[in-house]
Amino acid sequence: TESPYRLAIGGVEIALSTSAALAASLLERCRGYESTDQRPALELTFASVENFAPPRPLGRAYPELGCVGLSDTHYELWRNDCHGTLEVPAAPDEPVVATFSGKDHRAPLEAVLRVCLASTLPRVGGLLLHSSGVTYNGQAFVFSGPSGAGKTTVARLLRDAAPTSCPLGDDLTILRPGNDGGIRAHATPFAGELDPAPRHDAPVAGVHFLVHSGRHARRALPGRDLLLRSILRNTLVYVVERTAAARV
């Protein structure tokens, strides 16, 4: 590995140690997400291994990761192209530390980065939401749902209907508190079918949960509990113990 490469996603400063070739591939995908020169909140090391084989069968559908808790702050994660550990310190001012190995390809490195970011954000009040989004007239509109719900379709329709809008992404967006006391949506470079979104953020005007229907319509969720369940159902997070669950 060569140490370290730096980038920032959703206000989370990341220090990445990996090969020059893998770093170049990932950073090309994350173009525009330059370091903010703050202290890293996430330190990730990823070593490529020739003829990599996982230490145990996954036991679930690819591309999900298997996850077990080794302690209240220490996790082991793996899938068929990567394996490693994630340390999430109890002290909020200490960085999350991830050490992984895997196939020499951007896909497992990006998968690990997503999981690590999902574990880092709740420590600063944020969530990595399975959602698409756009900003329009200085406000962010977020559309959440499981795979196949229509996140990419909505993002594409809004892009075509409002050329002055700016995409937040079509797969994962970040929600976290802003300095003004409100909630802001942040773009991520993690794309589904569309290209990675440029880095930007805006105050949230609405979070919408998609369902298939024969017509376009919008209605308010009836109650706070349903809102919370809808958000948690679509949050990317690996929870295996109470401290992490409470944080989310």
Side-chain angles (χ1 to χ4, degrees):
T1 61
E2 297 180 8
S3 176
Y5 299 90
R6 298 287 292 273
L7 67 157
I9 301 174
V12 174
E13 185 75 17
I14 301 162
L16 170 65
S17 299
T18 191
S19 69
L22 272 181
S25 178
L26 180 69
L27 294 176
E28 174 64 24
R29 188 79 168 172
C30 299
R31 183 179 295 179
Y33 290 81
E34 289 89 0
S35 169
T36 56
D37 295 324
Q38 304 297 312
R39 181 187 179 195
L42 169 61
E43 298 176 355
L44 168 59
T45 299
F46 188 95
S48 58
V49 176
E50 188 175 357
N51 299 321
F52 174 83
R56 65 182 80 182
L58 183 58
R60 64 183 67 189
Y62 178 87
E64 293 185 38
L65 282 88
C67 179
V68 295
L70 304 177
S71 72
D72 285 348
T73 61
H74 199 196
Y75 307 88
E76 180 184 11
L77 299 106
W78 71 96
R79 68 180 196 183
N80 62 4
D81 57 5
C82 60
H83 169 262
T85 59
L86 182 66
E87 182 76 27
V88 186
D93 57 338
E94 293 296 320
V96 172
V97 177
T99 304
F100 277 78
S101 60
K103 292 183 178 180
D104 188 16
H105 194 275
R106 192 198 74 231
L109 172 57
E110 185 173 314
V112 168
L113 178 58
R114 294 182 188 208
V115 171
C116 294
L117 191 61
S119 299
T120 305
L121 279 164
R123 292 157 56 85
V124 294
L127 294 174
L128 187 58
L129 194 65
H130 200 194
S131 58
S132 63
V134 298
T135 61
Y136 183 71
N137 288 340
Q139 293 184 304
F141 300 84
V142 177
F143 303 90
S144 184
S147 297
K151 298 184 297 298
T152 298
T153 299
V154 168
R156 186 181 290 114
L157 287 170
L158 291 174
R159 178 196 63 188
D160 296 342
T164 59
S165 66
C166 187
L168 289 166
D170 73 323
D171 188 46
L172 292 169
T173 59
I174 289 171
L175 301 182
R176 60 176 298 180
N179 294 330
D180 58 359
I183 302 297
R184 299 186 73 86
H186 294 254
T188 75
F190 306 129
E193 298 177 24
L194 303 183
D195 292 332
R199 182 170 78 177
H200 68 292
D201 61 279
V204 172
V207 178
H208 306 78
F209 300 95
L210 300 173
V211 295
H212 287 284
S213 176
R215 64 188 179 93
H216 296 313
R218 184 177 70 167
R219 61 185 177 90
L221 287 174
R224 176 182 173 87
D225 288 346
L226 183 56
L227 170 64
L228 292 176
R229 287 199 300 271
S230 299
I231 289 176
L232 289 173
R233 187 178 298 119
N234 293 295
T235 296
L236 179 64
V237 67
Y238 286 77
V239 171
V240 293
E241 42 83 24
R242 291 181 180 272
T243 302
R247 191 179 292 123
V248 174

